[in-house]
Amino acid sequence: MSLGPRSAGSRLRSRLSRLSSYLSSSLPSRDPLPLRLPAHLPGLQRARLPLPVLPERFGPVRLLLAVTAVLLMVGAAWITVTGFFARSELLAAKGDLQALRHSVTGAGTAFDHESGSASAAAGASDGGADAWRTMGSAASHASLAHRLTTGPAWYLASRIPLIGRPFESVRGATHAADRLTHEVFPALVRVVPAIARDTRGRGFQALLSALRDNARGIDRAAGAAAATEAEVAELPRDTWLPAADLLRDELAAGLDGITSAMSDASVAARVLPPMLGDEGPRRFFVVFQNTAEARGTGGIPAAFALVTADRGRLSFGTFGNESSLATARPLVDLGAEFTSRYGPSNPTSTWANTNLSPHFPYAARIWAEAWRAHSGKHVDGVIALDPSALSLLLRAAGPARLSDGTALTADNLRDLAERTGYGRFADPAKRKTVFFDAVHRASLRLGGAIDDPRRLPAVLDAVHHALRQDRMKVWSTWEDEQRLLETRPLGGVLPSGEGPFAGLVVNNTTGGKLDYYLDRRLEWTPGRCTPEGRPVIVRISLTNHAPVSGLPGAVTLRADKPSYPTRPGDNRLLVSYYASAGAELTGAALDGTPVATGTEIEHGHPVYTTDLELPAQQTRTLTLTLMEPLAERAPRVLSQPLVNPLQTIIQPYPLCAA
């Protein structure tokens, strides 16, 4: 039955009256608020409802809210205060570690650059005890920083979505610092001060003993460093707190070098003792490469020396230059791939072309066999370094003097070998004699320094820097040692296998020394993923800063005898780009004009080569367009060490859609 308007209004008014009575009886009233009823309901009067307030039984809720607010404020204050103190502790630990590095890398040795003698600086006599005290201080500061950023407040704050990202980053950073000072650095402190405490002039013998005794500890420390680096890499970045981002970025940058150094130390602990004659004499063929004329492994092979290692003592025997081995014909088979790519250049019979490939073991095998063909004697390994590496070592070992009394220092050695020597000595024979003399004197100086426990830590630090710059390479005829060497950059191996890769290699074809003035720039720009793969654009810019006049003929030599006109200072290069395995070239242009490239394969990498004339005071740009296999990381970049380092720009890497 339908209800009329008056009946509906009466029923609604009755219900509102009962609701008002209930509220009046259950809630204490304050100022009543008028309740305006809809005007279209006839017969309804205005009703007034009291303002509800929390009853006494809701008191615990109010208390809980109040306590929560107080706890939040206390937690925020606690995080702020402990964060401030944790930062101070991390800075103190960083200062201790810098002091530790300073104390164990020869900084406590004063050099007399006139006499070439060394003396221990004041306070450096007890390097081992000082190192351990400094290490203990750093560990104490790092531990306190870690403890300050643990606990409920920091844990809960780090778990808040988005807001907690910087707190998570800080917690991870302090944990990493604590782990480094307790699990990583002590392994090195056990080695270096053992050398510093040596008072019997045992030099490398003390180093070998320390490495051999601590090999397992160094290996564990290398694993801890790698694990710590991986943990830091997973920490949040680009948070709302710049200070946390800066802390994380600085730690990540430092860990890159630490992990690499520890991995080098781990390999060194296993290969250095036998290679340096711990189990019997070893002989090495040492080649000095001149980077003023580019080759795949760095520079053209110039002077060489024979070095014998016997229980940590090094003795330098035969010294010579490229002329001594010009007629050597080594019998070495490096495989069909090598022959196909480099065979026309006669790398096994033309000394200047022995290291066209960036894969160092190829050159090392040729050099070892060339010496055997020349002398009838075998060597146990090959070492290569360039004038920049030799300068680093000479800075640690102290200055020497040439036969004519000229001072040979870290500051003038590279310049003499790669630039000024060509102007000072017009006669090629005289110039080679001077370069040979410089290598000879620097090597003898280095040989004396490594037997001096006061200088040895600085020499080791110089070796580390040379390795980091890819300016020193080592190859061994012993298979177990060579397998370990190939795992590190000092092995000079061209990596094979899957994954993004970018390698620029230039070989000089003129016979001159104009690569002293060469600048190289590589820009790698990936596109978005497609069903066919990922498009990549590679721009290679080469700049020849050579002056158009005033250079000696030996520098501007054009042994290639081009059919087109050139000026003194014009250069010519074979430019090779090593792409990712499975990549395909879709286009190539030189200065915007399409250009043909040769295509070959080396160690699984497609290699695209262009013969490029590079006039003085000009820049030329080679642009390659590639389709590469899909990948989710930036490419590994091949480093060819020349006078000026390669400038590399890797553009942002777009992720592939799932």
Side-chain angles (χ1 to χ4, degrees):
M1 180 180 70
S2 62
L3 297 176
R6 180 173 298 276
S7 175
S10 299
R11 294 182 61 181
L12 179 57
R13 185 166 54 251
S14 175
R15 290 178 181 177
L16 288 173
S17 177
R18 288 198 300 270
L19 176 62
S20 176
S21 299
Y22 169 76
L23 292 174
S24 298
S25 63
S26 60
L27 296 177
S29 63
R30 289 185 181 176
D31 296 334
L33 293 177
L35 177 63
R36 296 186 181 275
L37 299 178
H40 65 274
L41 296 178
L44 293 183
Q45 306 295 325
R46 290 185 178 180
R48 300 180 65 86
L49 293 177
L51 179 68
V53 298
L54 289 175
E56 292 183 0
R57 66 174 176 269
F58 289 158
V61 176
R62 299 178 65 183
L63 179 62
L64 178 61
L65 293 175
V67 170
T68 301
V70 171
L71 288 177
L72 287 175
M73 289 187 291
V74 171
W78 174 259
I79 290 175
T80 301
V81 173
T82 54
F84 174 80
F85 284 112
R87 178 179 181 275
S88 299
E89 293 299 324
L90 286 178
L91 289 175
K94 181 180 179 180
D96 285 335
L97 293 176
Q98 289 175 339
L100 178 66
R101 183 182 184 278
H102 186 71
S103 68
V104 301
T105 56
T109 302
F111 295 103
D112 183 343
H113 289 279
E114 291 300 321
S115 64
S117 61
S119 59
S125 59
D126 191 14
D130 287 344
W132 276 115
R133 280 193 293 270
T134 307
M135 183 72 257
S137 177
S140 176
H141 287 301
S143 290
L144 181 54
H146 180 45
R147 290 198 301 272
L148 285 168
T149 55
T150 56
W154 278 90
Y155 176 81
L156 292 174
S158 68
R159 290 296 182 268
I160 301 174
L162 297 179
I163 295 176
R165 287 167 57 83
F167 306 118
E168 180 185 354
S169 186
V170 171
R171 277 168 52 87
T174 59
H175 176 262
D178 188 35
R179 190 170 184 182
L180 286 173
T181 55
H182 285 84
E183 299 181 37
V184 179
F185 295 140
L188 294 183
V189 176
R190 291 187 183 94
V191 175
V192 179
I195 304 167
R197 290 194 301 269
D198 173 37
T199 58
R200 294 182 292 170
R202 296 169 61 237
F204 253 148
Q205 295 181 49
L207 171 64
L208 297 184
S209 298
L211 287 174
R212 183 176 57 249
D213 295 342
N214 293 280
R216 291 186 178 180
I218 294 174
D219 195 52
R220 287 194 298 269
T228 303
E229 182 180 28
E231 291 173 2
V232 170
E234 295 298 322
L235 293 177
R237 63 185 73 189
D238 299 326
T239 70
W240 56 267
L241 187 61
D245 297 342
L246 179 62
L247 174 63
R248 183 234 177 251
D249 292 344
E250 287 182 347
L251 183 60
L255 273 167
D256 178 60
I258 291 168
T259 302
S260 178
M262 291 307 304
S263 297
D264 288 341
S266 177
V267 171
R270 285 179 281 177
V271 303
L272 267 187
M275 290 187 74
L276 292 177
D278 196 36
E279 301 170 359
R282 294 285 189 91
R283 287 172 290 276
F284 295 92
F285 189 73
V286 182
V287 177
F288 301 92
Q289 303 181 98
N290 187 345
T291 49
E293 183 177 350
R295 289 294 184 272
T297 61
I300 188 171
F304 67 86
L306 265 293
V307 177
T308 299
D310 188 4
R311 300 190 182 279
R313 290 196 177 277
L314 302 184
S315 58
F316 291 82
T318 303
F319 283 84
N321 55 41
E322 67 272 22
S323 301
S324 307
L325 300 176
T327 59
R329 296 294 182 267
L331 299 176
V332 55
D333 182 5
L334 298 175
E337 183 181 271
F338 179 88
T339 302
S340 173
R341 175 154 168 71
Y342 300 105
S345 301
N346 299 316
T348 59
S349 58
T350 303
W351 179 256
N353 293 342
T354 52
N355 59 336
L356 294 175
S357 169
H359 186 64
F360 179 69
Y362 285 157
R365 289 179 61 184
I366 295 173
W367 293 339
E369 283 299 308
W371 176 249
R372 187 198 60 77
H374 173 75
S375 67
K377 299 178 181 178
H378 82 280
V379 293
D380 296 289
V382 173
I383 300 172
L385 63 162
D386 62 18
S388 295
L390 200 56
S391 293
L392 287 170
L393 295 172
L394 194 61
R395 188 175 300 280
R401 290 193 179 276
L402 298 177
S403 299
D404 62 1
T406 303
L408 184 66
T409 69
D411 296 323
N412 69 9
L413 186 151
R414 192 186 80 166
D415 204 45
L416 176 67
E418 298 182 328
R419 188 178 69 89
T420 59
Y422 295 98
R424 288 176 57 186
F425 309 103
D427 178 26
K430 176 62 175 177
R431 185 172 59 251
K432 290 181 180 181
T433 299
V434 172
F435 182 69
F436 166 81
D437 188 34
V439 169
H440 186 191
R441 298 288 175 165
S443 299
L444 293 178
R445 187 68 178 162
L446 178 62
I450 61 178
D451 280 333
D452 185 345
R454 295 168 298 180
R455 290 187 184 273
L456 183 55
V459 172
L460 296 176
D461 192 51
V463 169
H464 171 66
H465 279 81
L467 292 174
R468 289 282 288 171
Q469 297 175 20
D470 292 311
R471 297 191 179 277
M472 183 179 293
K473 298 289 187 292
V474 182
W475 174 80
S476 175
T477 61
W478 298 68
E479 291 185 4
D480 55 341
E481 295 171 3
Q482 179 59 19
R483 280 195 295 270
L484 288 172
L485 291 172
E486 289 181 354
T487 65
R488 303 302 305 149
L490 81 162
V493 172
L494 178 63
S496 57
E498 299 180 354
F501 187 82
L504 171 62
V505 175
V506 299
N507 277 286
N508 188 290
T509 64
T510 69
K513 301 297 181 286
L514 287 169
D515 297 325
Y516 182 89
Y517 304 96
L518 177 66
D519 272 347
R520 300 161 296 155
R521 185 176 185 269
L522 171 67
E523 183 175 3
W524 193 90
T525 305
R528 300 217 172 256
C529 302
T530 71
E532 294 76 26
R534 185 191 293 276
V536 172
I537 297 176
V538 177
R539 291 183 178 88
I540 298 169
S541 298
L542 301 171
T543 303
N544 181 1
H545 293 288
V548 295
S549 63
L551 292 177
V555 176
T556 61
L557 176 68
R558 291 301 299 254
D560 57 324
K561 302 187 186 307
S563 59
Y564 46 85
T566 62
R567 303 171 302 166
D570 291 351
N571 201 358
R572 185 178 178 183
L573 302 167
L574 282 178
V575 181
S576 298
Y577 178 74
Y578 288 69
S580 305
E584 294 183 2
L585 184 69
T586 58
L590 181 60
D591 299 329
T593 302
V595 64
T597 64
T599 303
E600 293 167 297
I601 298 291
E602 186 170 356
H603 278 256
H605 296 283
V607 186
Y608 309 106
T609 302
T610 302
D611 188 342
L612 184 148
E613 180 73 20
L614 185 59
Q617 298 294 305
Q618 291 191 26
T619 297
R620 305 204 69 183
T621 300
L622 176 65
T623 303
L624 303 176
T625 305
L626 304 140
M627 183 63 71
E628 297 204 347
L630 298 179
E632 297 288 354
R633 62 177 177 83
R636 177 177 178 179
V637 179
L638 174 67
S639 175
Q640 180 191 20
L642 296 180
V643 176
N644 299 317
L646 172 68
Q647 302 174 50
T648 305
I649 299 175
I650 305 298
Q651 297 293 355
Y653 203 96
L655 297 179
C656 297

